[in-house]
Amino acid sequence: MSGVLTDNLGRASGLVKAAGGGGDTWTYHSEVTVSSGTSQTFESFAANTRRIWISFEGIDTGADCDITVVLGDSGGYESSGYVQHAHGDDSTSIHTGTDGFVVSGSTGIFDANQHMYAVCNLVKMQSSSELWAAYSVAVMEHQTSSGHQRAIMCGMKTLSASLDKVKVEAQNSGSFAGGKICVLGES
């Protein structure tokens, strides 16, 4: 059996390759603690990367904002042309922005009194194109009340060249104030 051993938050705790030496291999890319700044970059993915798994553990921004994943290639980060549908518990708030994949759901749903726990999966749809699909699920845990909010997102983006980097941004006046982001790649 091939796959990645994970703990209860979905973080990789070991790498496993398919029996007999075949199959795809997951590669641990990096894990970072985010305590300041508005973005975190993860670069130098292999040219044959087919899937990227990003996990968010206890992300705190100290302000109302959106947490967005932006794809990049040799020409830089692409900040337009994303097609997505993201929303949270408030079904009247739907995010359809084109500047990146919004992991935190609808605009402004992630606020200063919450910590976010989420996973985002990026999948290359075909070997002959740079069409990438994305989906994520997230829960924002309130620090000052017993309420929680959930969010989902799905979308797609075609890059102009091979994906080699991703960036996680705290948009709309947000700044990272705590938590961890872990990234794995599959080729």
Side-chain angles (χ1 to χ4, degrees):
M1 177 188 279
S2 66
V4 176
L5 301 174
T6 59
D7 64 14
N8 61 347
L9 291 175
R11 296 178 300 205
S13 57
L15 302 175
V16 179
K17 192 171 182 175
D24 296 334
T25 301
W26 282 96
T27 303
Y28 176 79
H29 194 276
S30 61
E31 180 177 309
V32 296
T33 299
V34 289
S35 58
S36 64
T38 59
S39 67
Q40 182 64 51
T41 59
F42 302 91
E43 300 186 348
S44 303
F45 285 96
N48 62 343
T49 298
R50 299 173 9 157
R51 189 162 53 162
I52 296 172
W53 182 265
I54 306 170
S55 64
F56 301 85
E57 179 185 346
I59 299 299
D60 179 10
T61 59
D64 296 358
C65 71
D66 296 331
I67 302 296
T68 304
V69 173
V70 179
L71 309 183
D73 56 30
S74 59
Y77 288 100
E78 297 199 11
S79 59
S80 64
Y82 294 78
V83 176
Q84 69 175 317
H85 188 86
H87 67 88
D89 284 333
D90 178 0
S91 61
T92 62
S93 298
I94 297 173
H95 185 87
T96 57
T98 61
D99 59 347
F101 297 121
V102 180
V103 176
S104 56
S106 54
T107 302
I109 196 172
F110 183 46
D111 69 36
N113 297 316
Q114 296 175 324
H115 288 161
M116 184 182 80
Y117 297 85
V119 292
C120 179
N121 196 7
L122 306 169
V123 180
K124 185 174 181 180
M125 298 303 290
Q126 324 171 18
S127 61
S128 61
S129 78
E130 287 302 318
L131 173 61
W132 286 81
Y135 64 88
S136 66
V137 293
V139 64
M140 280 70 75
E141 174 185 42
H142 249 281
Q143 301 305 300
T144 58
S145 70
S146 60
H148 303 297
Q149 291 188 304
R150 296 165 299 262
I152 60 170
M153 177 277 299
C154 60
M156 64 182 193
K157 166 73 173 142
T158 300
L159 296 174
S160 54
S162 295
L163 182 144
D164 65 358
K165 56 185 149 272
V166 297
K167 175 171 52 173
V168 176
E169 294 182 321
Q171 295 185 335
N172 307 334
S173 303
S175 180
F176 291 114
K180 291 183 181 178
I181 301 172
C182 180
V183 178
L184 294 135
E186 180 186 23
S187 53

